[in-house]
Amino acid sequence: MSLPYAISEENIYKVIIEKIDGEDQLPATRYRVSTGSHVLTVNLMLDVHWTPNLTGSQATTHTKRFNVTIEDGMTYQIAAKVDVDAPLESQLDGSFWEPILWGQSKVPE
């Protein structure tokens, strides 16, 4: 699942999970996947209320792939770490952010 809200004081922002292992995904809060390695395709989602002052990234969608290894019985939160002081060149080429594994927790039984 994506992080449900931005943590702007840590420059952590939401992502939209577009694909899992190359397969398009319908919008959802959570996605169930099998145990093992998966490739997620995610888009950065800068919340209007929390958007940092990034000039070159506003009209551009940045898509990145992210490899994650899933363990049985775990829930994972995927997020984006954003360099809010990135120069314009980094904003335009998308290098101002990276998808990250923000959190994981054991699924209650």
Side-chain angles (χ1 to χ4, degrees), residues 16-102:
I16 298 170
I17 299 171
E18 296 286 333
K19 296 182 181 190
I20 299 174
D21 298 328
E23 294 184 25
D24 291 334
Q25 301 298 306
L26 295 174
T29 304
R30 296 174 185 242
Y31 299 90
R32 182 176 296 272
V33 295
S34 61
T35 301
S37 295
H38 295 278
V39 178
L40 308 179
T41 303
V42 299
N43 287 326
L44 174 62
M45 186 173 147
L46 292 173
D47 298 330
V48 174
H49 182 71
W50 298 108
T51 300
N53 189 21
L54 295 170
T55 57
S57 63
Q58 299 303 321
T60 307
T61 300
H62 294 287
T63 301
K64 294 194 176 183
R65 290 186 178 163
F66 181 63
N67 296 318
V68 63
T69 301
I70 304 297
E71 295 178 27
D72 190 39
M74 297 294 290
T75 296
Y76 299 87
Q77 288 185 333
I78 309 303
K81 177 71 173 172
V82 176
D83 178 359
V84 297
D85 298 317
L88 182 59
E89 182 178 303
S90 294
Q91 294 176 49
L92 293 173
D93 71 12
S95 63
F96 72 101
W97 75 280
E98 288 298 324
I100 62 169
L101 179 63
W102 176 248

